[in-house]
Amino acid sequence: MNNKFDKTLFLTKFSIRRDVWKLLAWIIALSGIMTVIAIKFSDIYGSKSSILAIESTLKSTSMVSMFGSFDIPFKTSADVFGAEMLIFMAIMMIVMNIYFSVQGSIGEESKGLTELISSKSVGKFAIILSLTLEILILNLLVGILFGLGIQFSGMSGVTTEGAWLIAMSLAMEGLFFGMVGLLMAQLADSTRTANILSYLVFGIIYIARIITDLKNPKLTWFNPLGIIEKISAFHANNWTPVFTLLVLCVVIWALAVFFNQYRDIGSGIFAARNGRSKASMVLTGPMSLVWRLHRGNIVVWSIGLLILGVTYGSIFNTIGDILKTNPTMQTVFGKGAVDAANHQILLNFLSIIVIVCIGLAVIPAVQIMNSLKSDQEKGYLENIYAKKVTRFRMFISYLFWSIFTGILSFFISLLGVYFSGNSVLKHGKLDFEIYWHIFIAYLPVIFTVVAISAIIVGLIPKYSFISWVYVFYGIFSMYLGSLLKLPDWAKKITSFGWGNRVPVESINYNYVWSMLLISMILIIIGYIGYRNRDLV
């Protein structure tokens, strides 16, 4: 029995040492965000008037769709902190765990490292168990730092149990999706497919949470993401969601271990189907090759964002009829004034959900641009460069599909909102022109994000993670910027903050053209760097 686990601790130490800088970066970033915001909350929501104001905001339909539904009374700054931060930090934990679980399993196998280790005297379960321990240690460390940061933040209403309940619920949420990523890595035959499947599961769960929170909050108990809304931190302190997630983690981990024993290294349970014996006429160069490699990613993200858009649009009738359900408003102000007010409420809600749509749309765009570096490291491009293929064609191919994916994903999400929203609105439908203005206003975000990825891949590929830092900060500043009362300069560090809240406000065309010009300059510099540097 011991032989099955031989060298487990050794491999765990090896994995941690291999990933130490990545682990430290995530730990410091997430715990730093949590602690700094917790300390700042007493200043932001330290008075009863500010708490009352934000309570009505957080319980509005638009905010519930983004931050979740919470049954606790908002009496202290700690209550507001829990409601604002729980879902957002859970998403950050999910992204971190999917990354390490997929990269540490099928990612290492694709590089040939797992095969080398397996050729030595290691136990049957040692490799997968060592990765599990690494993920477990990572989540516990982040959870401990979360707990310490919240407990000693000085927020009014903080209790020791409540602080550690929030911390452990986030740690368990992260661990759950770490196990999901580990399971998908056993089913898929490549890192790319495992990531797609993992984020597909996350997307389904996230959309289901929005629906249950808005339609029937009791059903959120059955959602692995929404269940952490039920912890009632600093009040009832319900630990049931934490233990429920722990049980789910064990079940999914057991499935991952089971499937791990019945697949070959470098392949998945669902083997890739055999390709053509000869390439089709479509596969004639780098452009079509990059499409072939990333088409699954492009299709899944596009469909996912379409569904998200449809989900948001389906609640337009609830948003648009807020004032109409109040007979006093109709009597005092008249039907015309109430219609105009409802229209403005819809525009405000639309400006909020655009944050989620554009934030998600840039993720696959960055993935494709950064894959120019990762595909080269894995040796996938060596055979191509052995032919008469210039670096310009390869660079442009990845660049084109990166920008195309970002634009397509964002546009299709807006289409989903447009058709779904107008189908449920009985009056005051939103014209397509409104959505077109949104699309134009946020188009520079996609170009800027891809351009930053391109210049990093071209000049300093070792630091490609910087493009993700840029993206996550941009999403963070948009998602929580107003609630945390960030100054304008902090929001406008990235291109995300220059959207001008369209459609509530008009498009700033000076910004649009300036950002597009800057993006073109960055892309050109990135290409020059890629053309002149060593590929490895």
Side-chain angles (χ1 to χ4, degrees):
M1 179 65 72
N2 290 336
N3 290 336
K4 293 182 179 180
F5 305 101
D6 192 28
K7 298 292 192 299
T8 298
L9 292 179
F10 171 80
L11 290 177
T12 304
K13 293 176 185 177
F14 171 77
S15 298
I16 293 174
R17 220 161 81 182
R18 177 197 61 205
D19 297 331
V20 63
W21 294 112
K22 295 177 183 176
L23 292 168
L24 284 175
W26 277 99
I27 291 170
I28 293 171
L30 294 189
S31 60
I33 289 172
M34 192 68 136
T35 303
V36 169
I37 292 176
I39 293 172
K40 190 178 178 181
F41 247 69
S42 290
D43 296 330
I44 302 174
Y45 302 109
S47 64
K48 289 184 178 180
S49 58
S50 62
I51 292 173
L52 284 173
I54 196 62
E55 179 179 11
S56 60
T57 300
L58 288 173
K59 290 187 177 180
S60 66
T61 307
S62 56
M63 290 295 103
V64 167
S65 68
M66 292 184 69
F67 296 99
S69 174
F70 297 87
D71 299 328
I72 60 172
F74 289 74
K75 296 181 178 179
T76 65
S77 55
D79 296 333
V80 180
F81 174 84
E84 282 190 20
M85 295 301 295
L86 207 57
I87 293 297
F88 178 80
M89 292 307 298
I91 293 172
M92 294 295 100
M93 293 290 288
I94 290 167
V95 172
M96 177 184 73
N97 276 273
I98 289 177
Y99 171 78
F100 280 105
S101 60
V102 172
Q103 290 298 322
S105 50
I106 193 71
E108 293 301 307
E109 291 177 23
S110 65
K111 296 176 183 177
L113 297 178
T114 305
E115 192 170 5
L116 287 174
I117 293 172
S118 300
S119 65
K120 304 296 180 181
S121 178
V122 296
K124 186 178 180 181
F125 299 107
I127 294 176
I128 192 168
L129 188 57
S130 65
L131 176 59
T132 305
L133 289 174
E134 180 184 6
I135 296 170
L136 178 62
I137 292 169
L138 171 63
N139 284 283
L140 286 177
L141 277 176
V142 174
I144 290 170
L145 291 174
F146 280 174
L148 292 173
I150 298 170
Q151 184 176 352
F152 297 106
S153 62
M155 284 188 295
S156 61
V158 168
T159 63
T160 300
E161 185 178 5
W164 288 96
L165 177 55
I166 290 177
M168 290 301 106
S169 66
L170 289 173
M172 283 300 108
E173 190 69 58
L175 186 63
F176 170 79
F177 276 92
M179 296 304 101
V180 169
L182 192 61
L183 176 59
M184 295 303 108
Q186 312 311 310
L187 302 180
D189 65 330
S190 68
T191 307
R192 189 176 288 113
T193 306
N195 274 316
I196 290 173
L197 291 175
S198 299
Y199 281 107
L200 179 62
V201 171
F202 168 53
I204 292 170
I205 290 174
Y206 182 85
I207 291 171
R209 179 203 64 79
I210 294 174
I211 295 171
T212 56
D213 276 340
L214 293 173
K215 303 293 185 183
N216 191 346
K218 291 182 180 179
L219 294 178
T220 306
W221 268 105
F222 300 98
N223 186 294
L225 176 59
I227 194 173
I228 62 173
E229 299 169 16
K230 307 300 182 182
I231 60 175
S232 190
F234 311 118
H235 293 276
N237 290 322
N238 186 0
W239 285 84
T240 302
V242 177
F243 295 124
T244 302
L245 285 171
L246 179 59
V247 171
L248 289 175
C249 287
V250 173
V251 172
I252 295 175
W253 177 80
L255 285 173
V257 172
F258 174 79
F259 287 127
N260 179 260
Q261 305 308 307
Y262 290 93
R263 69 178 184 89
D264 294 329
I265 293 175
S267 63
I269 292 295
F270 301 120
R273 60 187 178 87
N274 292 329
R276 295 167 174 261
S277 57
K278 295 182 179 180
S280 66
M281 293 184 66
V282 178
L283 196 62
T284 56
M287 188 68 73
S288 53
L289 174 63
V290 176
W291 155 253
R292 179 67 178 78
L293 291 173
H294 293 280
R295 64 183 181 181
N297 200 21
I298 296 171
V299 171
V300 168
W301 276 98
S302 298
I303 293 174
L305 279 165
L306 175 64
I307 295 171
L308 181 66
V310 170
T311 304
Y312 277 129
S314 67
I315 62 174
F316 269 23
N317 60 333
T318 307
I319 301 291
D321 290 337
I322 289 176
L323 297 181
K324 291 185 184 300
T325 57
N326 190 328
T328 305
M329 289 288 187
Q330 300 243 30
T331 303
V332 174
F333 296 106
K335 186 177 183 301
V338 172
D339 285 343
N342 270 300
H343 182 76
Q344 193 63 30
I345 290 173
L346 270 176
L347 294 183
N348 273 283
F349 176 62
L350 193 53
S351 70
I352 291 171
I353 64 177
V354 165
I355 294 172
V356 180
C357 293
I358 189 64
L360 292 176
V362 299
I363 291 176
V366 174
Q367 285 178 334
I368 293 175
M369 194 65 238
N370 282 353
S371 66
L372 175 59
K373 167 194 172 255
S374 58
D375 288 349
Q376 178 62 44
E377 287 179 340
K378 294 172 184 175
Y380 295 165
L381 305 184
E382 288 183 7
N383 289 333
I384 299 173
Y385 281 126
K387 307 294 183 181
K388 293 180 180 180
V389 176
T390 64
R391 294 194 190 187
F392 176 77
R393 288 182 66 190
M394 286 304 303
F395 187 86
I396 287 297
S397 298
Y398 279 88
L399 178 70
F400 171 82
W401 287 112
S402 177
I403 294 174
F404 174 83
T405 303
I407 292 175
L408 176 66
S409 300
F410 183 50
F411 185 74
I412 206 169
S413 68
L414 294 180
L415 279 182
V417 179
Y418 169 70
F419 286 113
S420 177
N422 281 351
S423 69
V424 299
L425 286 174
K426 299 173 184 176
H427 38 70
K429 297 179 186 292
L430 299 181
D431 296 334
F432 183 76
E433 184 181 7
I434 292 173
Y435 293 89
W436 181 250
H437 287 167
I438 294 172
F439 177 73
I440 296 298
Y442 285 95
L443 192 62
V445 174
I446 298 170
F447 276 88
T448 307
V449 167
V450 172
I452 288 174
S453 298
I455 196 172
I456 292 172
V457 168
L459 296 177
I460 45 173
K462 182 179 179 181
Y463 300 98
S464 58
F465 68 89
I466 294 175
S467 58
W468 288 115
V469 174
Y470 181 87
V471 169
F472 288 137
Y473 178 80
I475 295 172
F476 165 78
S477 62
M478 291 175 67
Y479 201 92
L480 291 173
S482 298
L483 294 176
L484 295 178
K485 299 181 180 179
L486 292 179
D488 285 341
W489 66 264
K491 297 177 186 177
K492 292 183 177 180
I493 289 176
T494 69
S495 56
F496 289 86
W498 291 84
N500 211 28
R501 291 198 69 226
V502 177
V504 177
E505 299 177 19
S506 58
I507 302 174
N508 184 345
Y509 282 102
N510 290 332
Y511 146 77
V512 172
W513 291 113
S514 298
M515 285 296 176
L516 289 176
L517 179 61
I518 292 171
S519 299
M520 291 303 299
I521 294 171
L522 292 177
I523 289 170
I524 292 170
I525 296 172
Y527 164 67
I528 293 172
Y530 182 73
R531 183 189 65 186
N532 295 330
R533 71 170 173 84
D534 291 336
L535 291 176
V536 181

